[in-house]
Amino acid sequence: MLDLTLIKAITLDLDDTLWPIWPAIERAEKALDDWLSQHAPMTAALFANPAARHEIREHVIRSRPEFKHNLSAIRREAIRLALYRSRENPLLAEDAFAVFYAERNRVTLFEDALLALEFLSSRFPLVALSNGNADIQRIGISNYFRTSISAQQFGVGKPDPRIFHAAAGSVEVAPAHVLHVGDDAALDVLGALNCGMQTVWVNRTEHLWTHAGEPHETVTSLTELCDLFPR
């Protein structure tokens, strides 16, 4: 059971916890494809082949292991490699990535997200903790957070305990006094449990829990999360 008296800070996952990620990624992919069609049509044709797109991404991951947790760098380098293979200007990669990244951050928050952020941030310091490359300032929610820690910034991602410890340290709170909230059973819940944090699993789609360790609480919305706290 969740012990509310221990909580001094909250770490929050972003993608699929505060907004659905795949609609934003699909829009970003479309914006990138449209831009490449205008400025680098041979590269656009190459990326239109899913197998070729996958092979390029895997090549980047294998050849640049330092990019393992840096989704932005992987995407940018994949675009650069595709431009090079298509005999078009690799310098276009920066502008192409900028188009993708702008759309990737044009997310649609879940209906319960803003009210939950207002409620929680008025009571606890919040830390955004993500394996993704979302920019909370671009999205317009940075004022709710004390700080933001991402895998690409930190160098390792969830469920590695180091990133959870860094999140707790960023607000000068011991892990035992942190509540981590997220949608991913393994990355969020088990990762946080393994470093001594309390956890709330945000299970919006009625997934079954299949792991040995269990979250302290399970909710189907951020409204239910807020209802756990006295008003």
Side-chain angles (χ1 to χ4, degrees):
M1 294 292 292
L2 195 64
D3 187 345
L4 299 178
T5 66
L6 292 176
I7 300 171
K8 296 181 180 179
I10 295 176
T11 53
L12 269 171
D13 175 55
L14 299 177
D15 293 328
D16 287 330
T17 296
L18 296 184
W19 56 77
I21 183 54
W22 285 111
I25 295 297
E26 289 171 0
R27 288 194 303 268
E29 295 276 13
K30 177 65 165 54
L32 174 61
D33 290 344
D34 289 346
W35 190 93
L36 288 173
S37 294
Q38 294 180 24
H39 298 90
M42 297 302 293
T43 303
L46 179 61
F47 267 165
N49 182 330
R53 186 189 293 246
H54 177 76
E55 187 278 326
I56 288 171
R57 179 182 174 84
E58 290 303 305
H59 177 85
V60 170
I61 292 172
R62 288 194 310 271
S63 61
R64 302 296 298 271
E66 69 273 23
F67 291 166
K68 179 180 178 180
H69 299 287
N70 192 330
L71 297 182
S72 293
I74 291 171
R75 173 77 60 172
R76 190 183 294 108
E77 193 61 25
I79 296 170
R80 195 185 322 277
L81 179 58
L83 287 161
Y84 175 79
R85 288 186 179 181
S86 302
R87 304 192 179 209
E88 293 176 315
N89 184 3
L91 296 178
L92 292 174
E94 295 297 333
D95 288 342
F97 175 75
V99 168
F100 173 90
Y101 193 59
E103 197 67 22
R104 182 262 182 271
N105 283 295
R106 196 173 66 83
V107 300
T108 301
L109 295 168
F110 288 120
E111 289 184 0
D112 54 15
L114 279 181
L115 286 177
L117 288 172
E118 291 174 4
F119 177 86
L120 296 172
S121 64
S122 70
R123 288 159 174 78
F124 305 99
L126 302 185
V127 179
L129 186 58
S130 176
N131 282 5
N133 59 349
D135 184 333
I136 59 173
Q137 187 164 359
R138 286 192 185 214
I139 292 168
I141 56 173
S142 59
N143 56 305
Y144 297 112
F145 292 92
R146 184 73 58 86
T147 188
S148 175
I149 298 178
S150 68
Q152 69 178 33
Q153 164 203 5
F154 188 67
V156 298
K158 300 175 291 185
D160 192 301
R162 288 173 290 177
I163 197 169
F164 288 99
H165 289 150
S170 70
V171 287
E172 301 181 335
V173 173
H177 295 294
V178 175
L179 172 66
H180 181 68
V181 178
D183 73 288
D184 191 289
L187 300 181
D188 289 307
V189 177
L190 297 184
L193 286 174
N194 285 338
C195 36
M197 293 180 174
Q198 295 195 86
T199 61
V200 170
W201 183 33
V202 182
N203 182 17
R204 295 181 182 272
T205 51
E206 298 184 350
H207 287 298
L208 294 177
W209 184 262
T210 58
H211 304 275
E214 294 187 359
H216 292 80
E217 291 285 351
T218 298
V219 298
T220 61
S221 70
L222 296 179
T223 302
E224 285 186 20
L225 170 66
C226 295
D227 288 343
L228 297 174
F229 297 92
R231 299 285 171 165

